Amino acid sequence: MKTFKISFLFFYTVVITIHSICNHNVHAQNSSDSTAYHIQNLKEIKNVGNAWKAIHFFKNTSTLFLNRKDSISAAYHLEILAFGYFKIGDVYNSETTAIDAYSILDKINDSLKTLVPKTRLLNQLGILYKQKKDYTNALSYYEKALQLNTILKNKISIVNNISNIYAEKEQYQTAVTNLNHYYNDVLLLENSSEKATYLNNLGYYQSKLKIPNALKKMEHALSIRKEKGDLVGLFSSYRYLTLHFKDQKNKKEALKYVSKTLDIAHKLNSPSFKLEALKLKLSLNNNTTFNDYIVLNEHILNEKQLQDNKYAAIKYDVEKEREKTNIINLKLKTTEVEKLEEQSKRILYQTMGLLTIAFALFLYFIIKSKHKKDKIQHVYKTETQLSKKVHDELANDMSDLINFVAHNTDINSTKKAILLDNIEDIYLRTRDISTQTGSIDLENYQASIKHLLMQHNKQHTKVLIHNISSIEWHNIAEHKKMVIYRCLQELMVNMKKHSNAKMVSIAFKNNGKKKEIRYVDDGIGCDVLAVKRNGLLNVESRIKGIGGSFNFKTSMGDGFKASIEFTA
């Protein structure tokens, strides 16, 4: 039963969050019919083309508001864009967009304007990380949302989310402890869905620990939900009561409540709810209902496939538009060729001339490319030799000198301490030079890159690596691997020295022949000219040397973003 408990709780949390965000935003933008229209197209994806247009709409409007310095509106449109990415299954872009929206709000001093959207974004990030089974980050964002919120009902909802994670991990005592902090406050609330959810969860988790009066809390939650006519809530209550009496070996009561669960599932007319109800019943009685379960399960799998096809259709529609454009261009070219038939001989001679020039250019670029490759390998060989020489000779000599000074009794103790500090500083800088110019493990390149990046994953700086295996590193030329490694090394050194970043994200993308590495940190940023002086000109030079490109964006107080593009 644990598998469905996870999916059901996740589904219920997402539905509530989406409903809250979208309804709030529609009302907040009464003056914009277009915004409301596109939000609706993302809430219920009935036409994939309209969903794609909605995503483009919010990308454009968020950029427009940023250019106008309207931070509140920009963050609002980015929040909806993050929700749109979530709806089409793009978890990575949903995450980064939500973080961008939160960063904008974080720079606004008016907490009254930012409190509610900040809480929603943190809760959304918690949901995203929970879906990825990253419970540590999910809990971190839920806790931040909890600290920001001052409204008791909202705090109770977030506490429920936190406790659900512990329950999914079967850490029921921790779940109960978290909920108990708010017990007296919840009792003072008027009857509401938040109160019912809280009491139902607390009662069920207490029943798992055999704590007295657990059943009374679940029954209290049930009475509230009956009063409110909350079908989804009633399903949850009947489900937990079924599980409770099953644990108590009271089959008669369990069958009574599983029957009510089935009735609610049919009223909701949802395959997921029906499937869970049937699974509950099957766990109590082995009978022909199992066949119904199999049929319904196949139905759900088919629905999932349809959803996958729907999102694939979005990409397909884009490709179709490109094909139409290519056909139009081809017709135009054909028409021009027909008009120029009289000049066919001249075209032939021109073509031969162009081919000759193209062949010459091809030879030139081949030779130039080989020269660049040889130059990169020569630089790498020189750096490696320098690293070895620094390590074997200079670093060892510095170590010997430290030992000599430390054990020399003729030197004044105060001067000795100062001298040792200075020598040790030179020694550490020498070792850093040796490390930064040392050899690269090209055979185990992916592991080598991971090791390089995670060296900077410290207590106050979290380094996140996304999709590093999406690039087939064994197909990348060795001289390009050398350059990529050195450039990433330079970016991480720049971050360590100048950024003061708390979070660093490095994402790898494989776009066919074109590869891309995106670097983002939330540091203090700096002046562009200062960054170039700090070594990034060297990164740009190296990347250009392999036919790639390097772009970055930064300003004081606004973090650092960079992208590296190259071909295999």
Side-chain angles (χ1 to χ4, degrees):
M1 303 309 297
K2 182 183 177 185
T3 302
F4 185 81
K5 180 177 72 178
I6 295 174
S7 60
F8 175 76
L9 291 173
F10 174 74
F11 166 78
Y12 189 69
T13 305
V14 169
V15 167
I16 291 174
T17 302
I18 290 171
H19 181 269
S20 172
I21 291 173
C22 292
N23 281 348
H24 170 83
N25 289 335
V26 169
H27 292 300
Q29 297 291 318
N30 286 332
S31 62
S32 175
D33 292 337
S34 294
T35 302
Y37 169 76
H38 288 301
I39 288 174
Q40 189 60 33
N41 283 331
L42 290 177
K43 280 181 68 178
E44 299 177 5
I45 300 181
K46 297 178 180 179
N47 183 295
V48 292
N50 288 342
W52 188 251
K53 288 175 184 176
I55 287 175
H56 277 292
F57 173 81
F58 287 111
K59 282 177 72 175
N60 293 334
T61 53
S62 60
T63 303
L64 179 66
F65 285 120
L66 279 173
N67 291 336
R68 291 179 180 175
K69 309 296 183 185
D70 185 350
S71 299
I72 292 291
S73 296
Y76 157 72
H77 282 249
L78 283 172
E79 182 183 352
I80 299 302
L81 179 59
F83 165 63
Y85 281 131
F86 176 83
K87 285 287 286 186
I88 65 169
D90 190 344
V91 176
Y92 170 72
N93 272 322
S94 180
E95 175 190 352
T96 55
T97 306
I99 289 172
D100 284 343
Y102 191 87
S103 303
I104 292 171
L105 293 171
D106 215 21
K107 294 170 187 173
I108 299 172
N109 294 325
D110 192 343
S111 60
L112 291 176
K113 290 183 178 179
T114 62
L115 182 62
V116 174
K118 270 188 174 183
T119 306
R120 287 200 309 269
L121 284 165
L122 289 170
N123 198 52
Q124 185 173 349
L125 286 167
I127 292 169
L128 288 167
Y129 279 107
K130 183 182 176 186
Q131 186 182 20
K132 295 195 292 185
K133 307 301 181 188
D134 186 349
Y135 294 130
T136 302
N137 273 317
L139 285 171
S140 173
Y141 282 113
Y142 283 144
E143 291 289 355
K144 288 177 183 176
L146 188 62
Q147 290 171 11
L148 280 179
N149 222 306
T150 56
I151 302 171
L152 181 59
K153 278 189 178 182
N154 293 342
K155 289 170 77 74
I156 297 304
S157 294
I158 297 168
V159 168
N160 273 318
N161 287 343
I162 292 171
S163 298
N164 287 341
I165 288 180
Y166 289 119
E168 287 175 16
K169 295 162 71 176
E170 297 188 357
Q171 297 176 11
Y172 294 108
Q173 184 59 64
T174 306
V176 167
T177 301
N178 273 278
L179 290 169
N180 272 336
H181 289 306
Y182 294 87
Y183 183 67
N184 292 328
D185 292 328
V186 170
L187 291 181
L188 296 175
L189 284 176
E190 61 181 17
N191 288 346
S192 62
S193 59
E194 292 84 3
K195 183 175 181 177
T197 301
Y198 172 91
L199 291 171
N200 194 46
N201 287 346
L202 179 59
Y204 180 66
Y205 302 154
Q206 285 183 337
S207 77
K208 300 295 287 186
L209 300 172
K210 303 189 185 308
I211 295 174
N213 296 321
L215 179 58
K216 287 185 178 180
K217 295 182 180 68
M218 297 166 69
E219 289 172 339
H220 188 179
L222 177 62
S223 67
I224 293 172
R225 285 166 167 170
K226 283 181 177 179
E227 176 189 329
K228 296 291 181 183
D230 178 5
L231 291 181
V232 174
L234 284 169
F235 182 92
S236 178
S237 281
Y238 290 140
R239 177 176 170 273
Y240 273 176
L241 286 165
T242 302
L243 292 171
H244 168 76
F245 285 112
K246 180 186 175 185
D247 289 343
Q248 299 294 319
K249 310 298 183 186
N250 189 337
K251 187 175 181 181
K252 180 180 178 181
E253 287 296 304
L255 285 170
K256 181 179 81 172
Y257 283 111
V258 81
S259 176
K260 293 178 182 293
T261 306
L262 276 165
D263 289 342
I264 295 293
H266 285 295
K267 287 179 181 178
L268 288 169
N269 195 25
S270 163
S272 297
F273 286 96
K274 290 178 183 177
L275 176 60
E276 173 57 13
L278 286 172
K279 285 170 66 179
L280 274 174
K281 188 169 184 179
L282 283 171
S283 70
L284 302 175
N285 296 298
N286 292 320
N287 54 41
T288 55
T289 310
F290 180 74
N291 294 327
D292 294 335
Y293 167 78
I294 293 295
V295 172
L296 194 55
N297 189 43
E298 289 176 353
H299 175 67
I300 291 173
L301 291 175
N302 289 336
E303 279 195 344
K304 183 180 183 301
Q305 187 61 54
L306 287 173
Q307 289 295 318
D308 291 340
N309 291 341
K310 180 185 290 185
Y311 301 139
I314 293 175
K315 297 178 182 177
Y316 174 76
D317 287 345
V318 175
E319 290 300 323
K320 227 162 87 169
E321 288 300 319
R322 287 179 182 167
E323 287 177 7
K324 285 180 183 178
T325 304
N326 289 337
I327 290 170
I328 292 170
N329 290 336
L330 183 61
K331 286 181 178 179
L332 290 172
K333 289 179 182 178
T334 303
T335 303
E336 285 191 8
V337 169
E338 289 173 351
K339 289 179 181 179
L340 296 173
E341 280 182 344
E342 296 177 358
Q343 303 173 24
S344 58
K345 287 185 179 180
R346 190 176 68 180
I347 292 173
L348 178 62
Y349 292 141
Q350 288 175 344
T351 303
M352 291 177 65
L354 288 172
L355 286 173
T356 303
I357 294 170
F359 181 72
L361 288 171
F362 175 75
L363 287 177
Y364 168 78
F365 284 116
I366 287 292
I367 295 169
K368 186 177 180 180
S369 176
K370 186 176 184 304
H371 174 70
K372 285 183 179 179
K373 180 179 177 181
D374 292 341
K375 185 177 178 182
I376 290 168
Q377 290 175 334
H378 177 71
V379 169
Y380 172 70
K381 185 177 179 182
T382 304
E383 286 178 343
T384 307
Q385 290 173 345
L386 174 63
S387 172
K388 189 175 186 304
K389 191 173 182 66
V390 169
H391 181 271
D392 292 347
E393 297 180 14
L394 188 55
N396 288 339
D397 288 346
M398 291 300 298
S399 180
D400 291 340
L401 182 58
I402 290 172
N403 290 330
F404 172 76
V405 173
H407 296 93
N408 193 320
T409 58
D410 295 332
I411 303 175
N412 177 278
S413 60
T414 303
K415 292 182 178 178
K416 181 187 288 188
I418 296 171
L419 183 58
L420 281 172
D421 286 343
N422 290 334
I423 294 173
E424 186 175 7
D425 179 63
I426 296 171
Y427 171 75
L428 291 174
R429 286 155 59 193
T430 304
R431 192 177 64 182
D432 283 345
I433 293 171
S434 174
T435 301
Q436 291 170 17
T437 56
S439 60
I440 304 168
D441 186 355
L442 297 173
E443 291 295 323
N444 302 297
Y445 187 73
Q446 181 172 313
S448 182
I449 287 288
K450 276 188 177 179
H451 178 71
L452 167 68
L453 299 177
M454 295 313 293
Q455 280 180 325
H456 298 271
N457 193 33
K458 306 294 183 183
Q459 183 177 1
H460 299 295
T461 303
K462 183 171 181 62
V463 177
L464 302 176
I465 303 174
H466 300 278
N467 301 325
I468 189 171
S469 58
S470 65
I471 297 177
E472 297 175 345
W473 295 106
H474 60 275
N475 291 332
I476 307 296
E478 283 192 355
H479 71 289
K480 293 187 178 183
K481 289 182 184 178
M482 298 172 191
V483 169
I484 298 303
Y485 186 96
R486 292 295 186 222
C487 290
L488 287 173
Q489 192 175 51
E490 192 75 49
L491 283 173
M492 299 309 288
V493 169
N494 183 71
M495 178 276 294
K496 180 181 176 182
K497 289 183 177 180
H498 308 290
S499 175
N500 294 330
K502 294 180 180 178
M503 183 172 289
V504 180
S505 171
I506 303 99
F508 298 78
K509 281 195 173 183
N510 185 5
N511 302 318
K513 291 184 178 180
K514 187 177 179 182
K515 320 298 177 187
E516 183 179 2
I517 302 173
R518 289 185 182 178
Y519 170 98
V520 179
D521 73 40
D522 63 352
I524 60 175
C526 58
D527 179 70
V528 173
L529 294 177
V531 171
K532 288 189 174 182
R533 288 197 299 271
N534 287 332
L536 294 189
L537 274 178
N538 191 30
V539 174
E540 188 174 20
S541 175
R542 286 181 187 261
I543 290 297
K544 284 184 177 178
I546 61 170
S549 64
F550 171 72
N551 295 289
F552 67 90
K553 180 181 179 182
T554 185
S555 61
M556 295 301 294
D558 198 33
F560 186 90
K561 297 180 181 179
S563 68
I564 295 172
E565 294 184 352
F566 62 99
T567 55

